[in-house]
Amino acid sequence: MIPSVLPTYNRAPLSFASGEGSWLVEQDGRRFLDFGAGIAVNALGHANPDLVQALTDQAGKLWHVSNLYQIEPQQRLADILVDKTFADTVFFTNSGTESCELAVKMARKYRHDRGEDRPIILTFEGSFHGRSSAGIAAAGSEKMTKGFGPLLPGFQSLPWGDHDALKAAAAQPDVGAILIEPVQGEGGIRPVPDQCLKGLRDLCDEHGLLLIFDEVQCGMGRTGRLFAHEWAGIVPDIMMVAKGIGGGFPLGAVLATEYAAQGMTAGTHGSTYGGNPLACAVGCKVMEIIAEDAFLAEVNRKAGLLRQGLEGLIAGHPSVFESVRGAGLMLGLKCKATNTDMVQVGYGQEILTVPAADNVVRLLPPLTLTDEDIAEALSRLDRAASDLAA
Ligand SMILES: *Cc1c(COP(=O)(O)O)cnc(C)c1O
Protein backbone atom coordinates (compact mmCIF):
# COMPACT_ATOMS: atom_id res chain seq x y z
CA MET A 1 0.00 0.00 0.00
CA ILE A 2 1.34 3.41 -0.87
CA PRO A 3 2.36 5.45 2.20
CA SER A 4 0.23 8.47 3.07
CA VAL A 5 3.25 10.65 2.21
CA LEU A 6 4.16 10.07 -1.46
CA PRO A 7 7.33 7.96 -1.21
CA THR A 8 9.64 10.02 -3.46
CA TYR A 9 12.35 10.29 -0.79
CA ASN A 10 14.74 7.79 0.75
CA ARG A 11 14.37 8.97 4.32
CA ALA A 12 16.66 8.14 7.23
CA PRO A 13 14.83 6.86 10.33
CA LEU A 14 15.41 10.15 12.14
CA SER A 15 12.79 12.63 13.26
CA PHE A 16 13.85 15.92 14.79
CA ALA A 17 11.77 17.68 17.40
CA SER A 18 13.73 20.88 17.85
CA GLY A 19 16.96 22.64 17.01
CA GLU A 20 19.32 25.27 18.32
CA GLY A 21 22.27 26.73 16.46
CA SER A 22 24.19 23.90 14.76
CA TRP A 23 22.31 21.21 16.70
CA LEU A 24 19.17 19.16 16.12
CA VAL A 25 17.43 17.16 18.84
CA GLU A 26 15.87 13.84 17.86
CA GLN A 27 12.47 12.82 19.33
CA ASP A 28 14.37 10.34 21.54
CA GLY A 29 16.64 13.08 22.92
CA ARG A 30 19.82 12.36 20.93
CA ARG A 31 21.63 15.56 19.87
CA PHE A 32 22.89 15.61 16.28
CA LEU A 33 25.45 18.05 14.94
CA ASP A 34 23.87 19.41 11.77
CA PHE A 35 26.44 19.64 8.96
CA GLY A 36 23.74 19.56 6.30
CA ALA A 37 21.68 22.56 7.48
CA GLY A 38 18.64 21.42 5.50
CA ILE A 39 20.91 21.39 2.42
CA ALA A 40 22.37 24.88 2.88
CA VAL A 41 19.04 26.34 4.01
CA ASN A 42 19.51 26.96 7.74
CA ALA A 43 22.35 29.39 7.03
CA LEU A 44 21.97 31.08 10.42
CA GLY A 45 21.36 27.90 12.38
CA HIS A 46 18.21 26.56 13.98
CA ALA A 47 15.90 28.74 16.07
CA ASN A 48 18.08 31.78 15.46
CA PRO A 49 16.70 34.38 17.92
CA ASP A 50 16.97 37.28 15.43
CA LEU A 51 15.04 35.34 12.80
CA VAL A 52 12.43 34.11 15.31
CA GLN A 53 11.93 37.73 16.32
CA ALA A 54 11.64 38.97 12.72
CA LEU A 55 9.12 36.24 11.87
CA THR A 56 6.96 36.60 14.97
CA ASP A 57 6.93 40.42 14.72
CA GLN A 58 5.64 40.14 11.17
CA ALA A 59 3.24 37.30 12.08
CA GLY A 60 1.47 39.58 14.53
CA LYS A 61 0.92 42.20 11.82
CA LEU A 62 0.24 40.69 8.41
CA TRP A 63 0.72 37.19 6.94
CA HIS A 64 -0.33 37.59 3.37
CA VAL A 65 -1.53 40.13 0.89
CA SER A 66 -1.71 39.74 -2.85
CA ASN A 67 0.88 41.15 -5.21
CA LEU A 68 -2.04 43.28 -6.44
CA TYR A 69 -0.83 45.63 -3.69
CA GLN A 70 2.42 47.14 -2.44
CA ILE A 71 4.14 44.81 0.06
CA GLU A 72 6.43 46.71 2.39
CA PRO A 73 8.79 43.88 3.54
CA GLN A 74 9.11 42.77 -0.10
CA GLN A 75 10.08 46.28 -1.21
CA ARG A 76 12.58 46.50 1.64
CA LEU A 77 14.22 43.17 0.73
CA ALA A 78 14.38 44.07 -2.97
CA ASP A 79 16.10 47.35 -2.08
CA ILE A 80 18.65 45.54 0.10
CA LEU A 81 19.41 43.00 -2.66
CA VAL A 82 19.75 45.71 -5.32
CA ASP A 83 22.04 47.65 -2.99
CA LYS A 84 24.29 44.67 -2.21
CA THR A 85 24.55 42.97 -5.63
CA PHE A 86 24.91 43.50 -9.38
CA ALA A 87 21.13 43.48 -9.75
CA ASP A 88 18.82 46.34 -10.72
CA THR A 89 15.62 44.43 -10.03
CA VAL A 90 14.30 41.39 -8.13
CA PHE A 91 11.35 39.00 -8.43
CA PHE A 92 10.50 36.90 -5.37
CA THR A 93 9.65 33.20 -5.54
CA ASN A 94 9.17 30.44 -2.97
CA SER A 95 11.91 28.06 -4.09
CA GLY A 96 14.95 27.50 -6.27
CA THR A 97 12.84 25.65 -8.81
CA GLU A 98 10.55 28.63 -9.25
CA SER A 99 13.59 30.87 -9.62
CA CYS A 100 14.78 28.57 -12.43
CA GLU A 101 11.39 28.86 -14.14
CA LEU A 102 11.59 32.65 -14.21
CA ALA A 103 15.26 32.75 -15.21
CA VAL A 104 14.42 30.61 -18.25
CA LYS A 105 11.32 32.66 -19.11
CA MET A 106 13.26 35.91 -18.75
CA ALA A 107 16.03 34.73 -21.07
CA ARG A 108 13.50 33.60 -23.67
CA LYS A 109 11.49 36.83 -23.45
CA TYR A 110 14.64 38.90 -23.90
CA ARG A 111 15.33 37.15 -27.21
CA HIS A 112 11.72 37.31 -28.34
CA ASP A 113 11.49 41.05 -27.74
CA ARG A 114 14.59 41.58 -29.85
CA GLY A 115 13.03 39.58 -32.64
CA GLU A 116 15.74 36.91 -32.35
CA ASP A 117 15.40 33.16 -32.72
CA ARG A 118 17.91 32.17 -30.06
CA PRO A 119 16.01 29.97 -27.58
CA ILE A 120 18.81 27.56 -26.62
CA ILE A 121 20.27 27.78 -23.11
CA LEU A 122 23.59 26.00 -22.59
CA THR A 123 23.83 23.99 -19.37
CA PHE A 124 26.39 21.62 -17.87
CA GLU A 125 26.61 17.95 -17.03
CA GLY A 126 26.20 17.34 -13.30
CA SER A 127 24.16 20.50 -12.77
CA PHE A 128 20.99 20.75 -10.70
CA HIS A 129 18.38 23.45 -11.18
CA GLY A 130 15.28 22.02 -9.50
CA ARG A 131 12.58 19.48 -10.27
CA SER A 132 10.13 21.36 -12.47
CA SER A 133 9.82 20.60 -16.17
CA ALA A 134 12.30 23.37 -16.98
CA GLY A 135 14.62 22.40 -14.11
CA ILE A 136 14.96 18.75 -15.11
CA ALA A 137 15.27 19.61 -18.80
CA ALA A 138 18.01 22.12 -17.96
CA ALA A 139 19.99 19.58 -15.91
CA GLY A 140 19.21 16.88 -18.46
CA SER A 141 20.46 13.89 -16.48
CA GLU A 142 18.83 10.53 -17.11
CA LYS A 143 18.24 10.10 -13.37
CA MET A 144 15.97 13.16 -13.22
CA THR A 145 14.34 13.06 -16.65
CA LYS A 146 13.65 9.34 -17.29
CA GLY A 147 9.92 8.73 -17.64
CA PHE A 148 8.99 12.40 -17.63
CA GLY A 149 9.21 13.13 -21.34
CA PRO A 150 8.55 14.87 -23.57
CA LEU A 151 11.04 17.27 -22.04
CA LEU A 152 10.85 21.04 -22.35
CA PRO A 153 12.99 21.87 -25.38
CA GLY A 154 15.58 24.63 -25.49
CA PHE A 155 18.52 23.25 -23.51
CA GLN A 156 21.86 21.86 -24.58
CA SER A 157 23.93 20.11 -21.94
CA LEU A 158 27.73 20.35 -22.22
CA PRO A 159 30.44 18.21 -20.64
CA TRP A 160 32.00 19.63 -17.47
CA GLY A 161 35.27 21.50 -17.98
CA ASP A 162 35.45 21.06 -21.77
CA HIS A 163 36.41 24.53 -22.99
CA ASP A 164 36.48 23.62 -26.68
CA ALA A 165 32.98 22.15 -26.57
CA LEU A 166 31.76 25.26 -24.75
CA LYS A 167 33.34 27.67 -27.24
CA ALA A 168 31.88 25.79 -30.19
CA ALA A 169 28.43 25.59 -28.59
CA ALA A 170 28.36 29.29 -27.64
CA ALA A 171 29.03 30.28 -31.24
CA GLN A 172 25.87 28.51 -32.53
CA PRO A 173 23.38 31.07 -33.88
CA ASP A 174 20.39 29.70 -31.93
CA VAL A 175 22.08 29.93 -28.50
CA GLY A 176 20.87 32.79 -26.30
CA ALA A 177 22.14 32.12 -22.77
CA ILE A 178 24.40 30.08 -20.50
CA LEU A 179 23.12 28.70 -17.18
CA ILE A 180 25.66 27.50 -14.60
CA GLU A 181 26.18 26.97 -10.87
CA PRO A 182 29.45 28.74 -9.87
CA VAL A 183 29.88 25.83 -7.46
CA GLN A 184 27.93 22.70 -8.35
CA GLY A 185 26.13 21.40 -5.27
CA GLU A 186 24.23 18.20 -6.08
CA GLY A 187 26.88 17.48 -8.73
CA GLY A 188 29.46 16.89 -6.00
CA ILE A 189 30.74 20.30 -4.79
CA ARG A 190 32.54 21.13 -8.01
CA PRO A 191 33.67 24.77 -8.10
CA VAL A 192 34.13 26.50 -11.44
CA PRO A 193 37.63 28.05 -11.22
CA ASP A 194 37.58 31.90 -11.12
CA GLN A 195 39.52 31.97 -14.38
CA CYS A 196 36.79 29.92 -16.07
CA LEU A 197 34.00 32.12 -14.72
CA LYS A 198 35.84 35.12 -16.18
CA GLY A 199 36.19 33.23 -19.46
CA LEU A 200 32.46 32.47 -19.42
CA ARG A 201 31.67 36.15 -18.98
CA ASP A 202 33.95 37.04 -21.90
CA LEU A 203 32.37 34.35 -24.07
CA CYS A 204 28.89 35.69 -23.27
CA ASP A 205 29.96 39.23 -24.10
CA GLU A 206 31.55 38.09 -27.34
CA HIS A 207 28.38 36.34 -28.55
CA GLY A 208 25.77 38.53 -26.88
CA LEU A 209 24.63 35.72 -24.55
CA LEU A 210 22.91 36.21 -21.22
CA LEU A 211 24.91 34.71 -18.35
CA ILE A 212 22.64 33.10 -15.74
CA PHE A 213 24.10 31.98 -12.42
CA ASP A 214 22.30 29.47 -10.23
CA GLU A 215 23.44 30.48 -6.74
CA VAL A 216 20.59 28.69 -5.00
CA GLN A 217 23.06 26.54 -3.04
CA CYS A 218 26.40 28.41 -3.27
CA GLY A 219 25.01 31.90 -2.61
CA MET A 220 24.09 33.76 0.57
CA GLY A 221 27.51 33.75 2.21
CA ARG A 222 28.07 30.01 1.78
CA THR A 223 31.47 30.41 0.07
CA GLY A 224 32.61 33.34 2.21
CA ARG A 225 31.37 36.07 -0.13
CA LEU A 226 27.74 37.16 -0.27
CA PHE A 227 27.53 35.42 -3.67
CA ALA A 228 30.08 32.92 -4.99
CA HIS A 229 30.66 34.70 -8.31
CA GLU A 230 32.08 37.71 -6.44
CA TRP A 231 35.33 35.76 -5.96
CA ALA A 232 35.86 35.91 -9.74
CA GLY A 233 35.19 39.63 -9.93
CA ILE A 234 32.53 39.26 -12.61
CA VAL A 235 28.74 39.58 -12.66
CA PRO A 236 25.93 37.62 -14.31
CA ASP A 237 22.93 39.10 -16.11
CA ILE A 238 20.44 36.96 -14.20
CA MET A 239 20.85 35.06 -10.93
CA MET A 240 18.72 32.45 -9.18
CA VAL A 241 18.67 32.53 -5.38
CA ALA A 242 16.79 30.48 -2.75
CA LYS A 243 17.76 28.11 0.10
CA GLY A 244 19.84 30.27 2.51
CA ILE A 245 18.02 33.53 1.81
CA GLY A 246 15.01 32.43 3.87
CA GLY A 247 17.08 30.82 6.63
CA GLY A 248 14.48 28.02 6.70
CA PHE A 249 11.41 29.99 5.65
CA PRO A 250 10.50 29.22 2.00
CA LEU A 251 11.86 32.10 -0.08
CA GLY A 252 13.59 32.45 -3.41
CA ALA A 253 14.44 35.26 -5.79
CA VAL A 254 15.56 36.05 -9.29
CA LEU A 255 17.97 38.96 -9.51
CA ALA A 256 18.60 40.65 -12.84
CA THR A 257 20.06 43.64 -14.58
CA GLU A 258 17.65 46.13 -16.10
CA TYR A 259 18.98 45.06 -19.48
CA ALA A 260 18.12 41.35 -19.03
CA ALA A 261 14.78 42.02 -17.33
CA GLN A 262 13.40 44.59 -19.75
CA GLY A 263 10.84 42.22 -21.29
CA MET A 264 9.25 41.31 -17.95
CA THR A 265 6.48 43.89 -17.94
CA ALA A 266 3.15 43.86 -16.06
CA GLY A 267 1.30 40.60 -16.62
CA THR A 268 4.25 38.60 -17.97
CA HIS A 269 4.91 36.70 -14.72
CA GLY A 270 3.42 36.31 -11.27
CA SER A 271 3.15 34.27 -8.07
CA THR A 272 0.54 34.12 -5.34
CA TYR A 273 2.96 33.57 -2.49
CA GLY A 274 6.13 35.00 -4.01
CA GLY A 275 7.28 37.96 -1.92
CA ASN A 276 4.99 37.03 0.97
CA PRO A 277 5.37 39.39 3.98
CA LEU A 278 6.45 36.62 6.39
CA ALA A 279 9.10 35.29 4.01
CA CYS A 280 10.43 38.75 3.16
CA ALA A 281 10.54 39.93 6.77
CA VAL A 282 12.78 36.94 7.51
CA GLY A 283 14.75 37.49 4.28
CA CYS A 284 15.51 41.09 5.26
CA LYS A 285 16.93 39.95 8.59
CA VAL A 286 18.97 37.17 6.94
CA MET A 287 20.44 39.65 4.44
CA GLU A 288 21.13 42.20 7.14
CA ILE A 289 23.22 39.63 9.04
CA ILE A 290 24.99 37.80 6.19
CA ALA A 291 25.91 40.84 4.07
CA GLU A 292 28.00 42.28 6.94
CA ASP A 293 31.74 42.21 6.17
CA ALA A 294 32.50 41.05 9.71
CA PHE A 295 30.07 38.11 9.36
CA LEU A 296 31.62 37.01 6.06
CA ALA A 297 35.12 37.38 7.50
CA GLU A 298 34.07 34.96 10.25
CA VAL A 299 32.72 32.52 7.67
CA ASN A 300 36.10 32.58 5.94
CA ARG A 301 38.02 32.16 9.18
CA LYS A 302 35.89 29.20 10.26
CA ALA A 303 36.04 27.70 6.76
CA GLY A 304 39.85 27.75 6.99
CA LEU A 305 39.73 26.04 10.37
CA LEU A 306 37.32 23.35 9.15
CA ARG A 307 39.25 22.71 5.96
CA GLN A 308 42.52 22.36 7.81
CA GLY A 309 40.90 19.84 10.14
CA LEU A 310 39.45 17.94 7.20
CA GLU A 311 42.90 17.63 5.61
CA GLY A 312 43.99 15.94 8.85
CA LEU A 313 40.91 13.71 8.80
CA ILE A 314 41.67 12.59 5.24
CA ALA A 315 45.32 11.90 6.12
CA GLY A 316 44.14 9.78 9.06
CA HIS A 317 41.69 7.73 6.96
CA PRO A 318 43.28 7.13 3.56
CA SER A 319 41.01 4.14 2.86
CA VAL A 320 37.84 6.20 3.41
CA PHE A 321 38.61 9.63 1.94
CA GLU A 322 40.44 10.86 -1.12
CA SER A 323 40.36 14.68 -0.91
CA VAL A 324 38.42 17.75 0.17
CA ARG A 325 37.14 20.36 -2.27
CA GLY A 326 34.81 23.32 -2.41
CA ALA A 327 34.81 26.86 -1.12
CA GLY A 328 34.09 28.43 2.24
CA LEU A 329 31.57 26.36 4.18
CA MET A 330 30.46 24.50 1.06
CA LEU A 331 32.81 21.55 1.25
CA GLY A 332 32.85 18.11 -0.28
CA LEU A 333 34.73 15.04 0.91
CA LYS A 334 35.53 12.97 -2.12
CA CYS A 335 35.35 9.40 -0.82
CA LYS A 336 37.14 6.15 -1.58
CA ALA A 337 34.55 4.28 0.46
CA THR A 338 30.92 4.69 -0.61
CA ASN A 339 29.65 8.18 0.23
CA THR A 340 26.22 7.00 1.39
CA ASP A 341 27.91 4.53 3.78
CA MET A 342 29.90 7.44 5.22
CA VAL A 343 26.69 9.43 5.75
CA GLN A 344 25.18 6.34 7.49
CA VAL A 345 28.06 5.86 9.95
CA GLY A 346 27.81 9.61 10.58
CA TYR A 347 24.26 9.05 11.83
CA GLY A 348 25.68 6.52 14.26
CA GLN A 349 28.06 9.18 15.60
CA GLU A 350 25.25 11.76 15.62
CA ILE A 351 26.49 14.02 12.87
CA LEU A 352 24.40 14.87 9.78
CA THR A 353 26.04 15.16 6.36
CA VAL A 354 24.57 15.00 2.85
CA PRO A 355 25.61 12.77 -0.06
CA ALA A 356 26.16 14.26 -3.52
CA ALA A 357 27.07 12.92 -6.96
CA ASP A 358 30.64 11.83 -7.80
CA ASN A 359 30.87 9.86 -4.52
CA VAL A 360 31.08 13.01 -2.41
CA VAL A 361 29.87 13.70 1.13
CA ARG A 362 28.75 17.32 1.46
CA LEU A 363 29.46 19.44 4.52
CA LEU A 364 27.14 22.46 4.62
CA PRO A 365 27.02 23.58 8.26
CA PRO A 366 25.17 26.68 9.44
CA LEU A 367 27.38 29.71 8.72
CA THR A 368 26.99 30.60 12.41
CA LEU A 369 28.72 27.46 13.67
CA THR A 370 31.19 27.90 16.51
CA ASP A 371 34.82 26.82 16.76
CA GLU A 372 33.63 24.21 19.30
CA ASP A 373 31.13 22.90 16.72
CA ILE A 374 33.99 22.50 14.24
CA ALA A 375 36.15 20.60 16.73
CA GLU A 376 33.19 18.39 17.67
CA ALA A 377 32.35 17.73 14.00
CA LEU A 378 35.94 16.70 13.27
CA SER A 379 36.01 14.25 16.15
CA ARG A 380 32.60 12.80 15.19
CA LEU A 381 33.68 12.43 11.55
CA ASP A 382 36.90 10.81 12.74
CA ARG A 383 34.98 8.23 14.80
CA ALA A 384 32.51 7.67 11.94
CA ALA A 385 35.35 7.08 9.47
CA SER A 386 36.95 4.59 11.90
CA ASP A 387 33.60 2.77 12.13
CA LEU A 388 33.44 2.63 8.34
CA ALA A 389 37.02 1.40 7.96
CA ALA A 390 36.46 -1.34 10.58
C1 LIG B 1 18.24 23.12 -4.34
C2 LIG B 1 18.63 23.70 -5.65
C3 LIG B 1 17.66 24.10 -6.58
C4 LIG B 1 16.18 23.87 -6.37
O1 LIG B 1 15.71 24.55 -5.26
P1 LIG B 1 14.33 24.10 -4.58
O2 LIG B 1 14.12 25.12 -3.53
O3 LIG B 1 14.52 22.71 -4.07
O4 LIG B 1 13.27 24.15 -5.62
C5 LIG B 1 18.10 24.71 -7.74
N1 LIG B 1 19.41 24.91 -7.98
C6 LIG B 1 20.36 24.54 -7.10
C7 LIG B 1 21.80 24.81 -7.41
C8 LIG B 1 20.01 23.90 -5.91
O5 LIG B 1 20.96 23.50 -5.06
Side-chain angles (χ1 to χ4, degrees), residues 71-117:
I71 300 176
E72 191 273 332
Q74 182 183 135
Q75 181 64 55
R76 199 149 39 93
L77 182 53
D79 290 342
I80 295 172
L81 287 165
V82 165
D83 181 48
K84 298 287 186 193
T85 71
F86 74 96
D88 302 314
T89 188
V90 183
F91 183 94
F92 292 103
T93 69
N94 309 288
S95 68
T97 299
E98 287 170 62
S99 294
C100 177
E101 292 296 312
L102 174 55
V104 168
K105 282 179 69 176
M106 191 181 281
R108 288 180 169 198
K109 186 70 161 51
Y110 173 84
R111 294 299 165 198
H112 170 268
D113 288 3
R114 292 161 63 100
E116 297 171 346
D117 186 24

Side-chain angles (χ1 to χ4, degrees), residues 94-98 128-131 181 185-186 214 216-217 240 242-243:
N94 309 288
S95 68
T97 299
E98 287 170 62
F128 183 81
H129 303 295
R131 297 294 199 137
E181 297 160 77
E186 304 302 312
D214 180 344
V216 168
Q217 195 163 147
M240 299 154 49
K243 292 202 166 101

